Amino acid sequence: MPRIALWSVLVPLFNVAVHSAIFVFLRDSALPPVLYAILAILWGVGGVYSIYWSFNWVIEQYSDVWKRRIQPFLFIGPAIGLLAWLLLIPTIRTFIMSFQDASSSKFVGFANYAAVFTNRLLLTALRNNLLWVVFGATACIILGLLIAVLADRSSFERLAKIIIFMPMAISFVAAGVIWKFIYYYQPGDEQIGLLNAIVVHFGGDPQAWTSMTQPWNNLFLIVILIWMQTGFAMVILSAALKGVPEDILEAARMDGAGEIRIFFRIIIPFISGTLLSVTTTVIVFTLKIFDVVMVMTGGQYDTEVVATQFYRQFFMYQNFGYGSTLAIVLLIAVIPVIVFNLRQIRKQGEI
C-alpha cells in the first residue's frame, strides 16, 4: 500500500513538471511558426494520451474494489471539470451580476428583474421570442414531418431531402445576408430584391418587408429560420419514420384504416419520442435566436429578441447588471424545456 500511495503522488507531480516544462519551452522559444504549430499539436495529442495512460497505470495497481471506484472518475472527471469551468462557474457569476448595478459594483436586489418585465424594449423582445417559438418552431416541426412523410413515398426521396437539407450547411449570418438580398427594397419600379422583383413583375407595389408593422416584419424573419431548420427536423423524423414496422402498417390497411388515421393513430405515437426531441431542440434553438435578427434588422423596427437585447446591454452599453439579468431570463426560459425533454426520455427508457 505505501508503494501505491507513493506512485499516486509521484505520477501527478511528474506530469505537472514535464508538461509545465514543455509549456514554458514553447512559450519562450523563437521557433518558426509552422514548426511551433506542429510541436503544439503533437504535445496536445501526446500529452493528453500520456496523462491518461500514466494515471490509468497507477489506478491499475489498486485492488479491484478501489479500481472500480476510482477509474470512472479518471475518464469523466476532466469532462465534468471542463463543463463546470466553462458552464457552471460563468452561470453562477452571471447570476450574481444580475443582482448588481450597471458597473457590477453595487447590490441592487431584484431591480434588474423588475426592469426586464416593465421596460418596453425588453417586453417587446420577450414578445418577439414568443412569436419565434410559436410560429417558427411549430412550422419547422410540421413542415419537417410533412416533407419526411411525402419524401419517404417519393421516387425522388434522396434529391428532395438533399435540397431541403442544404440550407443547414449555411451559417445563420450567411443566411441573413442571402435573405437580405431577397427582401431588399428600393424606391421605384427597378428592384434587385428577388421578392420585390416578383411582386413588381405581377403588377404589385414593392415593400420594405423587414420594416413593416408588427407582426409582419417578425414573421418575414421567422421564414429564414423555417428555411434553415426544416431540413434538420426532416432528416431526424425521416430516420424515425423508417423505423416504423411495415407489418403494423399493412395490418392497419387490411383492417380498413385510411392513411390519415394510420398517420395519427400509429405513426405519430410510434415516433413520439423522436418528435419530442426534435421539438425541444428547435424550441431551445429558437429561444436563443440572435444572428438572423442582428444581420437583417439589427433589432430595429421592433424586431428585438432577448439575445440581441442582451448583446446591446452587456457589450454595447456596458450595462452588466441588465445584460446578466437578460441572460438569466433566457436560461430560465430554456431550462423547463430541457427538463421536460429529459423526463420524457427517461420515461421511454423505463418502458
Side-chain angles (χ1 to χ4, degrees), residues 115-116 119-127 309 313 322 326:
V116 166
N119 184 289
R120 189 190 69 82
L121 286 175
L122 301 181
L123 286 174
T124 299
L126 291 170
R127 180 204 63 192
Q309 265 296 311
Q313 296 292 339
Y322 244 37
L326 286 167

Side-chain angles (χ1 to χ4, degrees), residues 16-181:
V16 170
V18 169
H19 293 293
S20 297
I22 295 173
F23 172 76
V24 171
F25 169 75
L26 291 175
R27 184 191 64 186
D28 299 335
S29 61
L31 298 171
V34 175
L35 181 59
Y36 188 92
I38 293 172
L39 289 175
I41 293 171
L42 290 174
W43 173 49
V45 177
V48 170
Y49 176 80
S50 66
I51 290 171
Y52 271 100
W53 183 87
S54 59
F55 275 64
N56 190 59
W57 179 82
V58 172
I59 293 173
E60 291 288 342
Q61 309 308 310
Y62 284 81
S63 64
D64 291 339
V65 174
W66 280 100
K67 190 191 305 182
R68 285 194 298 270
R69 290 177 180 176
I70 300 173
Q71 207 162 35
F73 291 99
L74 170 65
F75 294 100
I76 68 171
I80 293 173
L82 194 62
L83 284 172
W85 182 37
L86 296 177
L87 293 177
L88 183 60
I89 294 174
T91 300
I92 295 172
R93 190 159 173 257
T94 303
F95 182 71
I96 294 171
M97 289 173 67
S98 70
F99 293 100
Q100 297 173 337
D101 63 356
S103 60
S104 297
S105 59
K106 182 181 177 183
F107 182 78
V108 295
F110 288 92
N112 291 324
Y113 288 91
V116 166
F117 295 102
T118 55
N119 184 289
R120 189 190 69 82
L121 286 175
L122 301 181
L123 286 174
T124 299
L126 291 170
R127 180 204 63 192
N128 290 342
N129 265 101
L130 184 61
L131 284 175
W132 280 82
V133 171
V134 171
F135 292 101
T138 303
C140 287
I141 302 305
I142 292 174
L143 288 175
L145 181 59
L146 182 63
I147 294 169
V149 172
L150 295 177
D152 199 39
R153 304 181 182 189
S154 170
S155 55
F156 301 99
E157 177 186 0
R158 185 173 299 178
L159 178 62
K161 288 181 178 179
I162 289 172
I163 293 172
I164 300 297
F165 189 75
M166 277 179 65
M168 279 290 296
I170 306 172
S171 70
F172 267 91
V173 174
V177 173
I178 292 170
W179 281 84
K180 202 162 189 174
F181 281 110

Side-chain angles (χ1 to χ4, degrees), residues 203-250:
D205 296 323
Q207 302 287 334
W209 306 103
T210 56
S211 59
M212 296 175 73
T213 55
Q214 290 291 337
W216 296 108
N217 52 359
N218 272 307
L219 293 177
F220 282 116
L221 296 182
I222 291 170
V223 168
I224 305 172
L225 172 79
I226 297 170
W227 179 66
M228 294 195 68
Q229 291 297 303
T230 297
F232 164 75
M234 175 203 67
V235 168
I236 305 299
L237 293 173
S238 179
L241 286 170
K242 291 185 181 300
V244 178
E246 191 65 33
D247 56 344
I248 297 178
L249 300 178
E250 288 299 326

